[in-house]
Amino acid sequence: MTQDFSLRILPVHWDDKDQLGKTANALRSVRLDALQLALDAYASTYEKEVEFPKDLWLQRLQNPQARHLVAVLKQKDDGKAGNQVYGTEPLGKWIGLIVVMEKPSPVRANASTSPWTYNASQKTTTKAMEEMESTQVPTDVVYQLNGLFVHPSVRGGGLGRALIQESYTYVRTSIIRQGLLSARVDVLVDSWNTSARNLYLSCGFEFVSQDSYDVGGSPRIALSLSVTIHATQ
């Protein structure tokens, strides 16, 4: 298989409900396969998410605070990847995915809490609100990258970096549209996952802190990384 791909931002609003359903099925397939192919790379498990109802995947696609960036093959499959690529017309075969989520609070992500669940305890503090109001143009909008996945058949071709850079482009476009100066982008990476950590660091992220958590009783350490995206960059 060639590694020639295009990047697509999936819409939040869908006029074609049939296409929405097909895309939700493709999203589910990609996510579940990611959880099986990289058992310890995510703060979740296949056993947990395989039980998620179909409505949950539909809700994620239509969540106005989350945008799914999908990598799609440009060329025809030569058969070498077997059945481990995902099709949904008219997008084609999915080989990579990353989700950009606008956070409701500047509080940094916690690996113990799903980014899809708004934690009411993470409300913006009075101090943070005062800092926001003290500037003529707010600059502390925060986004989180989640669920980066590159299919094994195309790894090593720069797709992971392309997905991260495309997420920067999306964030920059979003803050310009909102009249903002900058935004912070966060990501959580397990401490053992040196390849993912090095990829994010090479894309401009910097280490902020670390936090202990567990998945199914297995202890882990999550590294919190951040990068600032400027409107004029």
Side-chain angles (χ1 to χ4, degrees):
M1 176 182 292
T2 66
Q3 297 185 16
D4 191 13
F5 55 83
S6 61
L7 301 178
R8 314 284 181 85
I9 300 178
L10 300 184
V12 172
H13 304 290
W14 298 75
D15 294 326
D16 188 334
K17 299 305 180 183
D18 181 63
Q19 183 60 37
L20 170 61
K22 290 180 179 179
T23 306
N25 289 337
L27 175 62
R28 178 180 184 274
S29 295
V30 174
R31 175 63 176 175
L32 293 181
D33 207 43
L35 292 170
Q36 288 183 300
L37 290 169
L39 297 177
D40 299 323
Y42 304 98
S44 186
T45 64
Y46 173 86
E47 290 74 18
K48 177 182 179 180
E49 297 199 14
V50 74
E51 299 297 330
F52 285 173
K54 181 177 180 180
D55 283 351
L56 181 142
W57 303 101
L58 293 170
Q59 291 168 7
R60 288 189 174 184
L61 277 178
Q62 298 175 95
N63 186 330
Q65 304 303 317
R67 297 306 296 267
H68 294 75
L69 279 60
V70 177
V72 181
L73 278 178
K74 283 186 177 180
Q75 305 297 326
K76 291 184 178 180
D77 186 358
D78 64 7
K80 293 182 181 180
N83 295 320
Q84 300 302 311
V85 288
Y86 316 91
T88 175
E89 297 297 339
L91 291 179
K93 295 182 181 297
W94 296 20
I95 53 173
L97 172 71
I98 194 169
V99 184
V100 185
M101 310 184 74
E102 185 172 354
K103 298 172 64 176
S105 161
V107 176
R108 294 190 183 279
N110 186 320
S112 300
T113 303
S114 169
W116 294 97
T117 303
Y118 172 56
N119 186 347
S121 67
Q122 294 182 342
K123 293 180 180 179
T124 304
T125 64
T126 301
K127 181 179 179 181
M129 288 297 294
E130 291 174 348
E131 291 175 351
M132 290 171 62
E133 293 171 356
S134 67
T135 58
Q136 184 175 1
V137 181
T139 61
D140 57 356
V141 174
V142 180
Y143 293 82
Q144 181 176 347
L145 302 187
N146 186 57
L148 173 63
F149 173 66
V150 175
H151 191 271
S153 65
V154 293
R155 287 177 186 167
L159 179 52
R161 182 180 302 276
L163 284 166
I164 294 171
Q165 294 295 339
E166 186 68 13
S167 72
Y168 292 175
T169 299
Y170 170 76
V171 169
R172 185 171 296 112
T173 300
S174 179
I175 62 178
I176 289 174
R177 184 172 62 250
Q178 297 177 64
L180 307 178
L181 297 178
S182 64
R184 192 183 84 214
V185 179
D186 296 340
V187 70
L188 292 173
V189 182
D190 266 18
S191 59
W192 69 267
N193 197 344
T194 55
S195 60
R197 182 179 71 226
N198 290 338
L199 173 61
Y200 283 114
L201 292 175
S202 70
C203 290
F205 278 85
E206 296 182 349
F207 172 78
V208 176
S209 62
Q210 67 181 45
D211 182 37
S212 299
Y213 74 110
D214 72 84
V215 175
S218 175
R220 298 186 187 179
I221 297 176
L223 306 179
S224 177
L225 310 178
S226 290
V227 65
T228 299
I229 302 300
H230 298 279
T232 58
Q233 189 172 337

